[in-house]
Amino acid sequence: MSFQRQPKEVSPFVAARTIDEKISFTRNSHEVQGTIFKILEQSVIVEISSDDAKKINSPSNLTVVSHKNYTVL
């Protein structure tokens, strides 16, 4: 037996996000800009430059940012 997935209400802010949209966020006291790579329920996966990845000690140029922690440029 399987259960149907219940649709979840999405906030207008999250619903307005699009792939390749430019955003800004702060991590480890560094202001970082990047583009949305994938939109998730509670966060986005953001593609950042290699230089910014080094500054924030990220092992790759993709990082996860909560919808609460970024602004749209």
Side-chain angles (χ1 to χ4, degrees):
M1 172 152 82
S2 65
F3 294 97
Q4 294 282 344
R5 228 178 155 192
Q6 296 296 322
K8 293 186 179 184
E9 209 171 297
V10 178
S11 75
F13 177 80
V14 175
R17 300 296 54 89
T18 59
I19 303 297
D20 292 330
E21 190 168 32
K22 303 282 186 201
I23 66 167
S24 175
F25 62 96
T26 302
R27 172 105 26 102
N28 297 339
S29 300
H30 295 285
E31 184 73 22
V32 181
Q33 294 182 3
T35 57
I36 295 177
F37 183 77
K38 185 172 183 176
I39 302 166
L40 305 171
E41 212 171 283
Q42 300 292 320
S43 58
V44 289
I45 298 177
V46 181
E47 187 171 19
I48 59 176
S49 71
S50 297
D51 289 339
D52 283 337
K54 288 177 187 174
K55 287 179 188 176
I56 64 170
N57 298 320
S58 177
S60 79
N61 67 332
L62 295 177
T63 189
V64 178
V65 182
S66 169
H67 289 302
K68 299 175 186 178
N69 295 332
Y70 66 84
T71 56
V72 178
L73 300 177

